[in-house]
Amino acid sequence: LMAAILLVGAGVGVALGLTLGGSNGKGGSGVSQSTADENEALSGEDAVPPPQQDETVEGTPSPSPVVTASVPAPELTRPPTTRAPVAETSTTTTKAPVADISLTAEEKEQIALSILETAIPSSSYAALTSDPESVPNQALDWVLNRDAYPYDWAGLSSDPIDETAKTDLLQRYVLGGLFLGTGGDGWNGGRGWMTSDDVCTWWGIECGSEDVIQARANNGQGDDGDGEVWRKLQSDRTVTKIVLVDNALSGFLPEDLSALPSLTAIEMHENRLRGTIPSSIFELAELDTLFLDANRLEGEISPDIAKLTKLRRLTLNDNRFVGTIPTEIGQTTTLVMLWLFNNGELEGGIPTEFGNLVNLESLAIFNTKVTGRIPSEIGFLQSLKIFKVENNLLSGALPNTLYDLASLEVLGIAGNRNITGSLSPRLGRLTKLRELYISETSIGGSLPEQIGELTELSYLSVTGTELSGPLPATIGNLSNVQFLELGNNNFNGTLPSEMGGMTGLISVLLYGNRFTGALPSTIGGWTNVATVDMSKNLFSADSGLPTEIGLWTNCEVLAFHEAGIGSSIPSEIGGISALKVLDLSLNQLTGEMPVEVGNLNALETFNVEENRIEGPIPTQIGQLTGLTRLVMTKNFFNSAVPTEIGNLINLETLALNFNRLTGQIPDEITQLDGLTEAFLEINSFSGTIPANIGNMASLESFTAFRNKRGIRPGIGGPLPESLGRLSSLNWFDVAENSITGEIPIGLGDLAENMEYLYLNDNSLEGSVPSELGNLVDILELYLENNGLTGQVPEALCGEAGIRVDCTVSCPDGCCTNYNCTSTV
């Protein structure tokens, strides 16, 4: 038999011109020892650190939120993986010495070929015997010529063949090919690989049954007393799991994995694998877990998945699969986990055959082009805990059977605009539901009062639907809800006082509805809340913010933009010490600004635009040193700007326009060297522009026009010479004031960014500086209604809109002239 094997093997080698002889002419491999070209490095991606010992993979991909929310939607959580990749050291399995027999390199080569011919797929064997550059050929070259492992050639040449020796050869060949074919030299973790160590000690490889794996992980501890587990630890070296998660694998999945028939788990998610899934993978009858998500795999999902009759966990999400979801998956009734999301070109419907997957616990098919209705057969999946089909092209009403899923914990149908109908009162049956996402659908009707029976609910996302009517009082029963997203609907009526019982709230988004009446004082019970947005509603102008909001000491975002609220800002607002964003704009707030706002030390954005707030700007505003945006536009503030404004060293936007502010623009404003926008127009400022305005190096826009109002003279004095240092300045408007003197020639130094310069309606005099000709990118230059003379530089003529008096000469067609007997 040995002679026959050698003869057959030799015949194959000769016939196909296979050259495995080394350069020394004494046998061995002469094939390339470098990784094949198909493992091309994919540039532009940073390496990531190797997995830590005994870590569990918490790969948690989720659909991109459809709704506008202050917090991201909770994510899918992968069940704990098999044990993390660990290179064993203290329990290295020692192989018993093998008999040394004298075989030539050619004889060993032919023995190996004979074994591989029946063990690996025919396509792989063809590449092995015909292409010296192929990965299979390189893998065999490593086995025969570079691997120092003590192969049992006596056992391999015996009749019958020694199965342990055969397993050793096949495992090292297959794993060597995996290393060479997926860019092993660039892996994040690869301890032990391609060394003479037992493969069971290689990073990410696990051997034997579960008790053996556990014993190996525990350094042999926990034996049953008779040494059975220890004996298995020493002898059971059959590879059962490959766990190479987030390990920078590139290239293609090897077909030869099918030569490891005892594999129960392949976990290669979060790598850079590409191409299609080899059909040979589906011959692994023991496979329980196949995690290939977050790679670059493509092609259609094979119906041969149905051959994996023991498969429990399958993740193909975050790849580039196309075509329809094969109905044959419905035959894999052992499945408990099926993730297909983030394959943007998947199409067709959700197979009705999925109703056969009675053990399924997690089904996630979001961010695809899947169409049609949610099949009623989903109701057969009584073990289902997670059902996420957001951001697809699904349509029609929800099947009533959906409400029969008593184990359901997460239900996500958001982002399917063509899903219609209403929420059934049977929703209350889903008593284990923790997360409900129905945002951006066309579901209408009212929110059923049975929503209050979902007491385990922690995330309720119902943004951008056709839901209407008042909120049911029973919503107050949801004390475990942390994220309440009801924005952009047609809800109306008053907020139920029972909502104060929702004490677990962290984020409340009620914007874009038609809520009316007063805010209930009971909402002061939301003591854990971090974000509250009730903008764009119709709350009563006769009532305002309840004083109880001062109890929200953890709140970071408080937004009531265009919410309809009135009355004065309660002083208790100063108790919200964590507040970063305060937006009370476009309301009907009255009274004076409470000095307690100075206690909001964490505040970054403060917006009270377009209200009816009056009185002085409190000096305590200067205590908000973290402020980047201060907007008080369109109110009735009627004092001088406090000099403490200079303490706001992080300020980028200052908007005090459209008020009744008086006095000098404080010199302290020039300390704000990070300020990019200053809007001071339409007030009653007097005095001069601060001489050191040139210190404001970041200034891009400065508007202080129309401060000359009635008998008030507005801003006077000359334009500061330091203006020429504002190299970032794009917009400068001080029109309609009482500014005197000449135009500083330094304005000609602002050529890099200056586009809009408005000096009209002042008392400027002298000649137009020729240096203004440097402003070749200017779009509008208004100098009319002054006492200027001279000439407009010809370099400015072109696309710019230039307006001057007739006392200033201008090239033909370059300007619009004012104060002439006729307009040119």
Side-chain angles (χ1 to χ4, degrees), residues 189-393:
R191 288 185 303 239
W193 282 75
M194 311 305 277
T195 69
S196 60
D197 292 346
D198 191 318
V199 294
C200 297
T201 69
W202 290 6
W203 172 275
I205 300 300
E206 293 185 359
C207 298
S209 57
E210 284 297 326
D211 57 348
V212 172
I213 292 172
Q214 187 61 57
R216 187 175 287 112
N218 294 335
N219 293 330
Q221 300 300 313
D223 206 339
D224 54 11
D226 63 2
E228 180 63 24
V229 171
W230 181 255
R231 283 192 294 275
K232 288 182 179 179
L233 176 61
Q234 294 299 102
S235 62
D236 192 346
R237 301 197 308 277
T238 303
V239 174
T240 55
K241 299 180 181 180
I242 303 176
V243 184
L244 297 172
V245 180
D246 193 11
N247 205 44
L249 275 68
S250 60
F252 301 89
L253 272 172
E255 291 184 288
D256 294 344
L257 287 175
S258 60
L260 304 178
S262 297
L263 273 180
T264 63
I266 298 175
E267 302 186 21
M268 298 184 188
H269 46 294
E270 300 178 39
N271 285 292
R272 306 172 195 165
L273 297 171
R274 54 199 175 94
T276 59
I277 299 175
S279 59
S280 58
I281 293 285
F282 306 118
E283 304 298 329
L284 294 170
E286 300 299 317
L287 203 60
D288 167 276
T289 299
L290 182 57
F291 287 164
L292 296 177
D293 53 279
N295 279 288
R296 299 170 183 180
L297 300 172
E298 56 191 24
E300 295 189 358
I301 298 174
S302 173
D304 289 341
I305 286 176
K307 294 181 179 180
L308 302 176
T309 58
K310 294 185 179 181
L311 191 64
R312 296 177 63 251
R313 300 190 293 175
L314 174 63
T315 64
L316 302 179
N317 52 284
D318 292 282
N319 279 291
R320 301 170 182 175
F321 291 111
V322 299
T324 60
I325 300 171
T327 59
E328 289 82 358
I329 290 181
Q331 301 173 25
T332 313
T333 57
T334 52
L335 276 174
V336 297
M337 176 183 181
L338 177 58
W339 288 3
L340 303 177
F341 56 88
N342 289 343
N343 284 289
E345 297 303 318
L346 271 186
E347 54 191 9
I350 298 174
T352 58
E353 289 81 0
F354 277 15
N356 299 325
L357 303 178
V358 294
N359 293 299
L360 199 61
E361 297 179 3
S362 178
L363 177 58
I365 313 173
F366 51 81
N367 292 344
T368 72
K369 292 181 179 178
V370 169
T371 58
R373 291 174 174 264
I374 296 173
S376 60
E377 287 80 2
I378 289 294
F380 296 141
L381 309 184
Q382 289 300 300
S383 297
L384 197 62
K385 297 179 180 179
I386 298 172
F387 182 54
K388 292 174 70 66
V389 290
E390 298 101 323
N391 302 345
N392 289 302
L393 302 174

Side-chain angles (χ1 to χ4, degrees), residues 143-180:
V143 166
L144 295 175
N145 299 301
R146 289 178 287 136
D147 185 8
Y149 183 77
Y151 290 97
D152 183 2
W153 291 105
L156 290 170
S157 59
S158 66
D159 182 10
I161 193 170
D162 184 275
E163 291 299 323
T164 299
K166 178 180 176 181
T167 297
D168 274 347
L169 176 71
L170 285 174
Q171 289 185 161
R172 297 184 73 82
Y173 163 79
V174 171
L175 295 179
L178 174 62
F179 183 90
L180 294 168

Side-chain angles (χ1 to χ4, degrees), residues 50 311 345 413 500 619 634 638 649 682 795 809 818:
L311 191 64
E345 297 303 318
I413 60 173
T619 59
K634 292 188 178 180
N638 55 15
I649 55 175
I682 311 182
S809 63
Y818 286 79

Side-chain angles (χ1 to χ4, degrees), residues 40-116:
E40 66 185 34
L42 299 174
S43 60
E45 299 193 28
D46 296 330
V48 290
Q52 298 300 309
Q53 181 169 334
D54 295 331
E55 70 181 356
T56 56
V57 177
E58 294 293 337
T60 56
S62 71
S64 301
V66 180
V67 300
T68 301
S70 300
V71 291
E75 301 173 325
L76 279 176
T77 301
R78 186 190 306 276
T81 184
T82 48
R83 265 166 293 280
V86 177
E88 302 291 347
T89 52
S90 60
T91 62
T92 299
T93 304
T94 303
K95 183 181 176 183
V98 296
D100 186 20
I101 64 172
S102 178
L103 290 175
T104 66
E106 289 84 355
E107 289 171 332
K108 292 179 180 180
E109 173 185 313
Q110 300 311 322
I111 292 172
L113 283 172
S114 297
I115 294 171
L116 292 173

